[in-house]
Amino acid sequence: MTRFPSSRPKPSSHPGVRLVQKVSSTPAFAKVAPHLIPALDRAVHRLTRGKVLVSAQLLPGLVLTATGARSGQPRRTPLACMPEEDGGWILIGSNFGRSGHPAWTANLLARPDAEVSWKGADIPVTARLLRGEERAAVWKAALAFWPPYATYQARVEREIRLFRLSRREPAAGPAETPRSPASPPPTSG
């Protein structure tokens, strides 16, 4: 069973979108896009305080903050996504049809708790790699959503990773030390 609504958002049928789909399926695009698009998205996202991603003008997009699998440091990656009706997202590790899995997928496999910036809001999430029939159903939906994914898969030997991101409760901050009603409030010194 998929979680997509019957009227799930699809990229516009505007002729310009079809042109972008065609261009984004080329090997030349696969060489340039992984360097250009994320850098542009990061800059615009920062300037607009998380409200705008340039690439989201064609596809819904978010900024994933995952913990580096080896470094343990936060890694921010702008990504296209497929929103789900329950408030979660599907991420497709296509890497624009390049041979290796994108680094963010290894980060989510190692540490599935992450955060997304979605329309200006920071939301804690947990990622789960999709497998089997569930993956097959989501892959079919992904191809209907953005047909160039088929070209990306045809160019590589690896199976493109699909992740489902589900919202989770934010981690609690440090616990406050309880004090009795008679004790004075803490002072700063």
Side-chain angles (χ1 to χ4, degrees):
M1 178 177 119
T2 64
R3 298 182 192 179
F4 299 107
S6 58
S7 61
R8 73 180 167 271
K10 287 186 180 183
S12 168
S13 60
H14 185 275
V17 171
R18 288 192 296 274
L19 176 63
V20 170
Q21 287 177 342
K22 188 171 184 147
V23 169
S24 72
S25 296
T26 66
F29 184 84
K31 288 181 182 177
V32 175
H35 307 288
L36 181 65
I37 293 173
L40 183 60
D41 268 343
R42 279 187 201 99
V44 171
H45 189 260
R46 195 172 22 254
L47 289 171
T48 62
R49 297 183 184 168
K51 291 184 175 74
V52 176
L53 285 173
V54 174
S55 61
Q57 303 312 304
L58 290 173
L59 287 170
L62 54 75
V63 176
L64 172 72
T65 302
T67 303
R70 289 186 284 197
S71 71
Q73 298 299 309
R75 302 291 183 216
R76 293 178 55 83
T77 310
L79 297 167
C81 66
M82 288 180 19
E84 295 191 286
E85 69 180 1
D86 66 357
W89 301 268
I90 297 294
L91 298 181
I92 297 107
S94 69
N95 205 12
F96 299 97
R98 295 168 49 177
S99 61
H101 290 289
W104 62 265
T105 67
N107 296 342
L108 289 180
L109 289 172
R111 295 183 175 97
D113 285 346
E115 184 176 272
V116 297
S117 175
W118 173 252
K119 298 181 179 179
D122 294 329
I123 302 164
V125 296
T126 299
R128 184 171 55 83
L129 179 66
L130 302 182
R131 299 181 187 275
E133 289 180 18
E134 182 182 27
R135 184 201 181 279
V138 172
W139 180 249
K140 185 177 176 181
L143 295 179
F145 184 74
W146 190 250
Y149 288 137
T151 303
Y152 299 164
Q153 183 62 77
R155 267 202 305 254
V156 297
E157 304 249 342
R158 67 182 173 86
E159 181 177 73
I160 290 175
R161 292 175 177 161
L162 304 180
F163 287 86
R164 174 166 277 132
L165 301 183
S166 301
R167 293 173 186 247
R168 65 178 166 80
E169 292 298 315
E176 289 188 17
T177 307
R179 54 187 178 90
S180 72
S183 63
T187 58
S188 58

